[in-house]
Every structure is written in C-alpha cells, then in structure tokens.
Amino acid sequence: MTDTPDAAPRADADGRTTNAPSLVADKADGGLVLTLAGDWLARTIGGIEKTVADTGKSDLGKSVTIDLGGVGRVDTAGAFLVEQMSRNLSAAGGSVELSGVREKDGALFEAVRAAIDRVRPEQAVVKRNIVIGALDTIGRGVYSLYDEIVVGLNILGSSIYGAGRRMTGKTQVRLPAIITQMDRMGVRAVPIIALMSFLIGAVIAQQGAFQLRNFGAEIFVVDLVGILQLREIGVLLTAIMIAGRSGSAITAEIGSMKMREEVDALQVIGLNPIGVLVFPRLVALTLVLPLLAFIADLMGLAGAIVVTWIYSGIPPAAFVQRLREAIDIGTILAGLIKAPFMAIIIGVVASAEGMKVGGSAESLGLHVTTSVVKSIFLVILVDAFFAIFYASIGF
C-alpha cells in the first residue's frame, strides 16, 4: 500500500518549503511497517486523508509499526489523523506501535491522546412540563409583540413624516405611483368584491327571512340586512378580502425586491424605501378601501332585495321604504369610518412583513402567509373594538 501525492513541494508565506505527506506500507519481520513522510499539517493532509482512513479499516495483521521518523512538520490535525488511524488498527485486534516520534512532537501526540480520551458529559434530557412549555411559548410570543409594534410604528411614522414633507412641498408627490396602486388594489378588485357582497347579502336575507317567517315578522329581514350589512359585514368582509388579495401582493412585491437587494440599492442612491415603496401603497389602500366598502354595501343590499323579492314576496319598493325607516346616515358612517383604519393596518403589516423577507423563496412564502394571517386577525380585532366603542357611546 503506497500513497505518494504528486503535488510538488511549495514554499509557505514565511519561505519554508512544505512537502506533501505520504504513507508507505512495507513488510518487516513479524509484522507490517507503515512509513510516514512529509509534512502532516492541516493544509496538506487533505490529499491523504482518504488513504489514512482506508488504512485504518484494513486488516494489516497482528503487529503494525507506524514509523514517523520521516515526518517533517506535524500539527494538531496531522497528529489527530495519525492517532485515529492507530486506534482504528488497534480496534481491529492488532498491536500498534508508534516509533520515530521526535521529542518535540511527543507532547503534541500526548495532548491529542488526552483530548480523545477525555470523557465528555452527556447532555441531560430536560423533561419539560406541558403546561410550563405552553406558558413559555405564549410568553415568548407576547414578548415578541414589542418588536412587531416597533417595526409597525416605524413604518407608520415614516409614512406620516413623508406625507408632511409632501404636503409642504419639500418632497415631490408621485401621483402616478399612487394612481397605479389605486388601480391595482381598487379598480381591479371591484368585480370580486361586488360578487362576494351580493352573495353574502343574499344569504343573510334568505336565512333571516326563513327564521323570521316562524314569527310572522318576515318584513323585519330588511332591518336585519340593512343594519348588519352597513355596520359590520360590508366593511369587514371587504377588508378581509383586500388583506388576502392586496396585502399578500404588497408583501410579495416588497419581499422580492428585498431578496434581489433592490431595497438596499434604494438606500445607496439616497432614497427612502418607505417613501418609495410603502407610502404610495398605504395611501392607495386608505383611499380605495372605503370606496370598496361602499360598493360592497350597495351590492349586499342588492342581493338582499333580489332574494326577498323572490323568496319572501317583498317588492323592491317596499324593501327600500322599510330600509329608509330602519337605517340613517349614522348607520352608513358607522361602517365606513372603520375602513381607513383597517386599510392602514393592512398596509403597515404587509409592508413590515415584506421588509423582513430574507434571501430565500421559503422566507418569502412564510412572510406572505404571516402577513395575511396577521392582517385578517387585526382587522377583526379592530372591528370588535369599534363595536364596543359604538355601544359605549350609543352610536
């Protein structure tokens, strides 16, 4: 068995010549001699590492001598490789002896043997209580809300600051960017919002009429649909739809730019990423969501009119007359007032998650999903707060 790397000797940075390590096996009286030569250093043993490993696994007989007399320089990596080969040969049942070790290298081999023989304590498996583990998870989640709030407030504050600079003429208002976002988030969302609201209004009217028929109060389905659609369902479902449609798009767009380092490029050329990327989308959302909620209210009432006319025999004129008695302008405003707040929440959350995207597609998908879930949760939470607030002031 012979392994002599064909790499020529080369000079180190300090001018010393480095020789490639070699391993030669020769038969001797009563056993086998493994002759090592060259410099066994961390930067040189890569070429012979496989040969040493194969030698350690081989059956070389009962008596093996490892001769290190021809070894030039040796460091910890080389000593470890030799010691590991020696131990593997001993484990196979042979008697292994190291010879030719120079006095200055003896301490190194002793240190390597001591490090290998050192008993390493096993890591204790900590059994956690299920209740404590659940509380720990909840606690860490609550504590992480601090960072989420700081990021959200940073984006919101930067957007408000940028709006002030634009209103005072210190910064140019990019109307084409805002109008483009309004077209994407508002105009193109009208068909799906209208269809969804029409069907929701029809379902509420049908179920309400079916239940009220048992009490002979079928006409009150108009009150039910009018108040529920205008105060709650219209704006809430519109915001949820926009969170899933436009919020995910904002996160994906900003996240993709973050992955391609375009956000960093904006900072390098002196542009504020919040002003360029977030501000137009936030303004567009704030403007279009109330309009979409108003369209959703009209389509929900239209669906209710169709169903009550067909299912309950209430003509459209009677429906409208009853609706005028059941609602007032406050009922309409109670729902539309929520829309800008929901729009800001969706825009801030979507932008914040987009800015967190790393350099992988997996990170992008994770943050898009997180953006939609957070936005929908916060939208429902805000709607609940408004409901409690309205009830407390009698609105």
Side-chain angles (χ1 to χ4, degrees), residues 271-324:
L271 295 177
N272 183 6
I274 303 297
V276 176
L277 302 177
V278 178
F279 182 77
R281 291 170 169 82
L282 203 57
V283 172
L285 265 180
T286 307
L287 293 176
V288 302
L289 190 55
L291 299 176
L292 290 174
F294 183 72
I295 293 173
D297 291 341
L298 295 180
M299 293 305 298
L301 294 177
I305 289 174
V306 172
V307 169
T308 53
W309 189 12
I310 297 173
Y311 186 76
S312 301
I314 301 175
F319 186 99
V320 173
Q321 180 62 33
R322 180 65 190 178
L323 184 64
R324 293 177 60 185

Side-chain angles (χ1 to χ4, degrees), residues 102-324:
R102 290 176 296 182
E103 184 177 353
K104 66 176 183 178
D105 296 330
L108 176 62
F109 279 92
E110 290 295 333
V112 170
R113 293 191 192 99
I116 295 176
D117 293 334
R118 185 180 303 142
V119 178
R120 293 170 175 79
E122 297 183 359
Q123 294 184 351
V125 179
V126 180
K127 295 183 178 180
R128 298 180 61 186
N129 185 280
I130 297 177
V131 176
I132 295 178
L135 293 176
D136 177 69
T137 303
I138 295 173
R140 292 179 185 275
V142 173
Y143 184 77
S144 66
L145 287 178
Y146 172 79
D147 295 333
E148 300 287 343
I149 294 173
V150 169
V151 172
L153 291 178
N154 179 46
I155 292 177
L156 184 59
S158 299
S159 300
I160 295 175
Y161 176 75
R165 290 178 59 85
R166 287 169 174 80
M167 292 176 63
T168 56
K170 296 181 179 179
T171 305
Q172 182 181 3
V173 179
R174 298 180 178 86
L175 283 178
I178 296 176
I179 294 174
T180 299
Q181 295 300 328
M182 290 179 66
D183 173 66
R184 293 179 179 177
M185 301 177 187
V187 177
R188 300 184 187 183
V190 168
I192 184 63
I193 294 295
L195 177 60
M196 177 194 69
S197 299
F198 183 89
L199 296 175
I200 292 296
V203 171
I204 293 175
Q206 190 275 331
Q207 290 296 313
F210 177 76
Q211 297 297 330
L212 293 173
R213 179 177 296 176
N214 298 326
F215 305 97
E218 204 165 346
I219 188 62
F220 289 104
V221 70
V222 179
D223 303 56
L224 172 66
V225 173
I227 295 174
L228 188 59
Q229 179 69 30
L230 296 177
R231 290 180 67 97
E232 299 291 339
I233 297 298
V235 65
L236 180 60
L237 292 184
T238 300
I240 291 175
M241 180 64 71
I242 291 300
R245 183 184 181 276
S246 301
S248 60
I250 292 174
T251 304
E253 291 169 2
I254 297 178
S256 298
M257 297 182 70
K258 193 76 164 42
M259 291 173 58
R260 295 194 295 266
E261 299 182 352
E262 295 178 22
V263 176
D264 298 331
L266 289 175
Q267 292 177 327
V268 169
I269 63 178
L271 295 177
N272 183 6
I274 303 297
V276 176
L277 302 177
V278 178
F279 182 77
R281 291 170 169 82
L282 203 57
V283 172
L285 265 180
T286 307
L287 293 176
V288 302
L289 190 55
L291 299 176
L292 290 174
F294 183 72
I295 293 173
D297 291 341
L298 295 180
M299 293 305 298
L301 294 177
I305 289 174
V306 172
V307 169
T308 53
W309 189 12
I310 297 173
Y311 186 76
S312 301
I314 301 175
F319 186 99
V320 173
Q321 180 62 33
R322 180 65 190 178
L323 184 64
R324 293 177 60 185

